[in-house]
Amino acid sequence: MAAPKIIVVGGGLAGLMATIKLAELGAAVEVFSIVPVKRSHSVCAQGGINAAKNLKGEGDSPWRHFDDTIFGGDFLANQLPVRDMAEAAPGIIDMLDRMGVMFNRTSEGLLDFRRFGGTLHHRTAFSGATTGQQLLYALDEQVRRFEAEGRVRKFEHWEFLSAVLDGARACRGICAMDLRSMELETFAADAVIVATGGIGAIFGKSTNSVTSTGSAQSSLYQQGAFYANGEFVQVHPTAIPGEDKLRLMSESARGEGGRVWVPRDGQKWHFLEEWYPKYGNLVPRDIATRAIHKVVFELGLGVDGQPAVYLDLTHIDPKILDRKLGGILEIYEKFVGVDPRQQPMKVFPGMHYTMGGLWVDHKHRTNIAGLLAAGECEYQYHGANRLGANALLSCIYAGRVAGAAAVDHARGLANGAGAVPQRVFDQEKLRQQELNDGLLAGRGGENPFTIWKEMGRCMTEHATVLRYNDKLRQCDEKLVELLDRCRRLNLSDTSRWANQTLAFARELANMLQLARVIVRGALERNESRGGHYKPAFPDRDDAGWLKTTKAFFAPDADEPRFVYEPVDTSLIPPRERKY
Amino acid sequence: MMVEVRVRRQQTPSSGPRWETFRVEATPGMNVIGALLRIAENPVTAGGKPTTPVSYDANCLEEVCGSCAMRINGRVAMACSALLERLDQPVRLEPLSRFPMVRDLQVDRSRLFEDLKRVKAWIPIDGTYDLGPGPRLAQREQEAAYPFARCISCGSCLEACPQYNDKTGFVGAAVIGQVRLFNTHPTGRMHAHERLEALLGAGGIHECGYAQNCLEACPKDIPLTQAISEVGGQVMRHSILGFFKR
């Protein structure tokens, strides 16, 4: 039997882990990525990766990790996959350690662990404050080894445009664009795994990288994939506001003893420690973010009257800071010009992560046969709020599960991708080519970067920390207006070589469609849960809303529609979430 | 603050280069990428001539993905951490010169990744299934190795290296830094000879001319000259031992 041929879209942690698993299982793998995979957004993750190794004598266990994750996610995550992930976590750390990740060590030469938000245990393995970089590089190196052996082929500087669907709406490959020649091509596969990361660019400025647009997910949603829990986005409490992006200041700063405060009556007011004595500065992100919002906007106590609070490390030995947090101190110094060992950092919440994403089952299969999803682009593990240092874990775990499931799917196919008529591929390519031709011929007055900025402002203002139904309605109207203006673009660049404006214009239209899923999903959900908070409905409503949102695209109406499905709470009965 | 930005532009790999000047309203803390975004919003030169947005590589914007290396005022730098207020005016932007041109400020750095293959810059693990914990590692060794694990493959050290060109085929400091990293890891050490063998061949470590520009160019302050000297010693011992074994 010929080796199954599998396409992986995206070369961050989830995509590379899937690739490694696939290669190990004997599949022929093709990896598509907009950037060289080593430059994927996973590289930005800082603080660490969770696993209940219990190396600090605290009685930690995978079950506690599981419980913290479900509780932290306000009971919206289906429980079985989360339990399985928590159980797999210690083995994943071992695997990464064997790959050569330079994790910090104890004096005995064992892995060191630190505290993170939403848990009372030292559960987070780390490599300075550049853990995402170190994990991404380890997987990148393993993939490079398979590539040198001819078992993996990379298509870097290629952008995924759409899935190729056959007459039965099953996924048979992809259509992608070479970002240099701007030529389109279709690629056949027995299964496709998308691992295309986050959606930060929908909010204009976020902690995400430029390529985290959600364009691929949106394209698939418009082709019939369910998009789940889109209204749940995470606003990280501590980022450095910037002109071009919000730069993350890792939760590990607080895990290592950093304290958040604002001046009040000439004193330092450590409001998180006062309000949450048990967890203090390490309450989960949704709670810390709302607390900062309250202190700044309701109490008017932002530092120097600005939207900012202090994140203070100055009481900690600089040698320890350099060893455990060097990477983020360097970022603060370079971009702000102030030494955080000497002066408290000024930070403010910023859009960071999407808990929502493509709907998948336990094996990471979407509702489109042959199409799987892994990593931040899917919704599986984090419920209504993700705990810090669970993202790296979920990416790697999901990549592994998806890789194995893709091979299972391929082996079960009666007819492989080779049996699909060529016209199925030609039709999809033609559809995409027409989109490109239309954009290049456009002579309207609209600039795509201007529309993007307007979308980002609208989304940040109305669809992040506090949500009001009238504002959400206005925001959706604005998105419809922007979509309309998006049909009258002028790209200012009609060339067919390395035309980045063309690629961006395509992403923009997809971002707007996905933005509507977020806003409309939030409008529907009249309760507060995790990252989704409505002052008019301040409580969690399990009777009405303990259910997964599934958005689907209604092509005729050009808008999202919603269905809901029950959440699996078979292992831990929902309880009040109080820290 | 109004900033004048001059960009060396080139439409395709084979077309001739030309300079264009832009005027950009810079806000406090704005970086070179911010200026390029402003230009994309209104692609008109200082002389009022409509043009195309500038092509460039960028992703993380916090100096960890390695994408946005370019020549800024004649020196290699990361565009994301180059703040306009700290730069001499006018700001001159040029593509890296040691790599094939793609368009404008975009170049093709794939050779760097190919060279990582040449030296087998990885730990050859038996598999990803559960084989128990990795080797123990002294804190001190971890701390010495970690800086090399932070190499972002931006190519700054290669751009600054007088020996990095087609004639020598020199792999350059970044790749030698990775050999240092893997050759001292407890598992990686078991395969050190393969990496040293690669550095004995064409484009190997003997092409280093000790200009030491790499050290200064590295945005991550990686001790690259230390790596070159350590790995140089390893290569020497390996080749002498090899000579006596013949």
Side-chain angles (χ1 to χ4, degrees):
Chain A
M1 191 179 149
K5 194 191 146 192
I6 314 287
I7 284 174
V8 176
V9 183
L13 281 181
L16 293 185
M17 188 64 228
T19 301
I20 293 167
K21 188 75 201 171
L22 287 162
E24 272 188 354
L25 291 171
V29 196
E30 292 181 345
V31 185
F32 288 76
S33 175
I34 295 175
V35 295
V37 296
K38 193 177 178 179
R39 311 200 192 286
S40 304
H41 177 65
S42 302
V43 84
C44 288
Q46 298 169 343
I49 175 168
N50 286 335
K53 294 277 275 184
N54 191 32
L55 295 185
K56 300 281 186 191
E58 298 171 331
D60 197 10
S61 68
W63 185 271
R64 288 191 178 187
H65 182 186
F66 165 47
D67 188 90
D68 282 340
T69 302
I70 292 297
F71 189 65
D74 227 348
F75 292 90
L76 193 63
N78 288 311
Q79 296 188 353
L80 281 173
V82 178
R83 183 202 61 187
D84 292 349
M85 175 179 79
E87 284 179 354
I92 285 174
I93 301 289
D94 287 344
M95 172 194 79
L96 294 165
D97 191 18
R98 289 194 296 110
M99 286 178 179
V101 172
M102 283 294 158
F103 285 117
N104 279 51
R105 305 282 159 165
T106 65
S107 56
E108 202 177 325
L110 296 170
L111 300 181
D112 200 1
F113 283 79
R114 67 175 158 216
R115 279 198 57 200
F116 240 74
T119 181
L120 297 171
H121 298 281
H122 289 77
R123 187 185 289 149
T124 306
F126 60 101
S127 191
T130 65
T131 313
Q133 177 191 40
Q134 300 305 312
L135 303 196
L136 183 70
Y137 289 2
L139 300 190
D140 172 63
E141 288 147 12
Q142 296 301 320
V143 168
R144 187 166 292 108
R145 178 181 169 212
F146 284 128
E147 193 188 15
E149 291 169 5
R151 295 156 78 177
V152 169
R153 191 172 164 207
K154 280 187 197 149
F155 292 79
E156 293 172 326
H157 305 290
W158 280 78
E159 181 153 3
F160 168 91
L161 298 179
S162 62
V164 175
L165 304 179
D166 67 12
R169 304 298 289 170
C171 178
R172 298 304 209 149
I174 67 166
C175 181
M177 174 161 67
D178 180 332
L179 292 174
R180 268 121 191 218
S181 72
M182 307 313 283
E183 276 169 16
L184 305 190
E185 244 182 84
T186 53
F187 298 84
D190 297 321
V192 174
I193 300 174
V194 286
T196 46
I199 62 163
I202 289 178
F203 292 78
K205 291 194 281 188
S206 76
T207 64
N208 291 187
S209 295
V210 172
T211 48
S212 303
T213 62
S215 182
Q217 295 91 298
S218 176
S219 173
L220 291 165
Y221 147 76
Q222 291 168 70
Q223 286 187 289
F226 279 119
Y227 195 87
N229 290 345
E231 64 269 35
F232 291 94
V233 297
Q234 178 164 82
V235 179
H236 194 288
T238 60
I240 322 169
E243 168 70 26
D244 54 334
K245 83 169 291 189
L246 314 172
R247 294 180 175 84
L248 181 65
M249 276 299 111
S250 170
E251 193 166 289
S252 57
R254 283 169 285 141
E256 295 294 348
R259 304 176 76 187
V260 173
W261 60 275
V262 289
R264 188 182 62 172
D265 307 327
Q267 305 273 321
K268 294 179 184 178
W269 182 33
H270 299 98
F271 53 92
L272 288 173
E273 295 169 32
E274 185 180 308
W275 289 344
Y276 305 100
K278 195 167 167 196
Y279 285 79
N281 294 290
L282 288 173
V283 282
R285 292 172 180 175
D286 57 330
I287 291 172
T289 289
R290 280 195 290 276
I292 292 171
H293 234 251
K294 183 173 173 171
V295 163
V296 168
F297 295 116
E298 277 182 45
L299 308 179
L301 289 171
V303 174
D304 302 327
Q306 300 291 314
V309 298
Y310 284 127
L311 171 57
D312 196 345
L313 297 167
T314 57
H315 56 288
I316 304 171
D317 180 354
K319 284 202 196 85
I320 292 178
L321 292 179
D322 286 340
R323 202 155 63 78
K324 295 189 163 180
L325 298 171
I328 60 166
L329 304 182
E330 183 187 298
I331 289 176
Y332 196 84
E333 274 181 304
K334 283 201 179 181
F335 289 94
V336 183
V338 170
D339 180 0
R341 299 166 198 84
Q342 307 293 330
Q343 285 181 44
M345 296 182 274
K346 283 188 203 169
V347 295
F348 194 68
M351 158 58 189
H352 180 56
Y353 188 86
T354 172
M355 276 73 75
L358 291 167
W359 179 90
V360 291
D361 67 9
H362 290 192
K363 299 276 182 200
H364 284 269
R365 298 174 291 209
T366 69
N367 58 309
I368 295 176
L371 177 70
L372 301 91
E376 189 174 346
C377 71
E378 43 82 5
Y379 89 115
Q380 186 88 288
Y381 298 97
H382 309 294
N385 169 65
R386 176 173 68 75
L387 291 190
N390 265 352
L392 298 184
L393 174 63
S394 65
C395 281
I396 292 173
Y397 178 70
R400 211 164 74 168
V401 173
V407 170
D408 282 347
H409 174 83
R411 296 229 155 102
L413 280 177
N415 289 304
V420 180
Q422 183 58 36
R423 69 180 155 70
V424 171
F425 294 93
D426 294 344
Q427 276 165 5
E428 186 56 34
K429 184 172 161 183
L430 183 64
R431 185 170 82 94
Q432 299 301 330
Q433 190 63 57
E434 283 171 355
L435 277 173
N436 277 10
D437 293 345
L439 284 165
L440 288 168
R443 290 293 175 273
E446 299 288 348
N447 178 295
F449 299 97
T450 306
I451 293 181
W452 172 57
K453 273 198 170 171
E454 288 185 40
M455 169 181 64
R457 269 199 297 269
C458 172
M459 291 299 289
T460 299
E461 200 172 325
H462 303 305
T464 52
V465 183
L466 301 180
R467 289 159 168 188
Y468 301 92
N469 283 346
D470 54 339
K471 301 284 186 196
L472 288 168
R473 263 184 226 106
Q474 283 169 22
C475 185
D476 190 49
E477 281 163 22
K478 176 76 179 174
L479 294 172
V480 172
E481 176 212 311
L482 293 176
L483 267 168
D484 184 51
R485 284 167 54 192
C486 218
R487 293 182 188 102
R488 297 192 300 278
L489 291 180
N490 182 342
L491 300 190
S492 316
D493 185 352
T494 54
S495 64
R496 301 216 178 226
W497 175 255
N499 185 339
Q500 295 181 317
T501 315
L502 172 61
F504 184 75
R506 297 196 55 128
E507 292 167 356
L508 177 66
N510 284 336
M511 283 192 263
L512 284 162
Q513 292 287 5
L514 200 56
R516 295 197 73 198
V517 172
I518 297 166
V519 169
R520 290 282 290 274
L523 184 59
E524 296 290 325
R525 187 177 279 272
N526 280 329
E527 66 156 352
S528 291
R529 183 186 297 272
H532 170 73
Y533 186 76
K534 283 186 173 176
F537 303 90
D539 299 318
R540 191 174 89 194
D541 172 12
D542 281 350
W545 286 102
L546 181 53
K547 53 193 186 185
T548 300
T549 306
K550 289 169 82 173
F552 64 97
F553 184 64
D556 299 337
D558 196 30
E559 67 177 15
R561 297 281 159 78
F562 296 94
V563 291
Y564 295 90
E565 84 180 8
V567 176
D568 159 29
T569 56
S570 56
L571 298 169
I572 305 173
R575 59 184 191 268
E576 192 191 1
R577 182 169 178 252
K578 254 185 133 165
Y579 284 92
Chain B
M1 180 178 71
M2 198 57 89
V3 176
E4 192 175 301
V5 182
R6 294 185 189 166
V7 186
R8 188 181 195 263
R9 309 206 52 179
Q10 190 167 334
Q11 181 79 21
T12 67
S14 55
S15 62
R18 65 181 200 283
W19 285 87
E20 276 183 352
T21 303
F22 299 90
R23 261 194 276 282
V24 175
E25 177 64 40
T27 49
M30 191 193 259
N31 55 14
V32 165
I33 301 292
L36 292 170
L37 265 174
R38 285 284 160 90
I39 292 169
E41 276 182 80
N42 182 26
V44 176
T45 65
K49 195 173 125 266
T51 182
T52 54
V54 180
S55 288
Y56 61 96
D57 281 322
N59 199 25
C60 77
L61 309 182
E62 53 193 54
E63 213 188 66
V64 69
C65 78
S67 296
C68 65
M70 57 182 71
R71 280 186 293 152
I72 300 175
N73 290 344
R75 298 166 72 92
V76 62
M78 304 307 288
C80 65
S81 57
L83 306 190
L84 294 171
E85 63 220 26
R86 295 181 201 162
L87 295 172
D88 291 336
Q89 317 276 333
V91 178
R92 276 179 301 125
L93 306 181
E94 297 169 84
L96 298 180
S97 62
R98 305 294 176 113
F99 300 91
M101 161 61 54
V102 175
R103 181 178 174 180
D104 294 342
L105 302 173
Q106 266 188 303
V107 295
D108 180 355
R109 281 170 284 180
S110 50
R111 195 191 133 191
L112 174 49
F113 298 116
E114 290 305 313
D115 285 341
L116 289 173
K117 278 185 210 159
R118 271 171 71 183
V119 301
K120 301 185 195 291
W122 52 71
I123 305 284
I125 60 166
D126 288 350
T128 62
Y129 27 89
D130 206 347
L131 294 172
R136 287 201 187 189
L137 194 62
Q139 249 174 15
R140 237 177 15 167
E141 280 179 62
Q142 187 271 345
E143 280 165 32
Y146 176 67
F148 295 103
R150 292 187 68 204
C151 171
I152 58 178
S153 299
C154 61
S156 295
C157 58
L158 309 177
E159 176 70 14
C161 175
Q163 293 292 98
Y164 189 77
N165 52 47
D166 288 343
K167 217 171 74 207
T168 65
F170 182 38
V171 295
V175 170
I176 295 170
Q178 294 305 293
V179 172
R180 152 69 181 79
L181 175 66
F182 291 104
N183 277 9
T184 47
H185 181 274
T187 313
R189 196 180 290 150
M190 300 171 191
H191 309 269
H193 59 281
E194 294 180 6
R195 298 183 199 97
L196 299 178
E197 209 59 55
L199 285 182
L200 269 169
I205 198 161
H206 57 278
E207 295 291 355
C208 172
Y210 301 100
Q212 309 206 3
N213 295 2
C214 49
L215 191 65
E216 201 193 334
C218 177
K220 298 282 112 180
D221 298 326
I222 299 170
L224 291 166
T225 48
Q226 181 201 322
I228 292 171
S229 119
E230 280 182 40
V231 173
Q234 290 175 23
V235 167
M236 179 113 68
R237 280 191 296 280
H238 177 74
S239 86
I240 291 169
L241 282 175
F243 179 80
F244 283 116
K245 275 184 199 157
R246 253 177 235 161

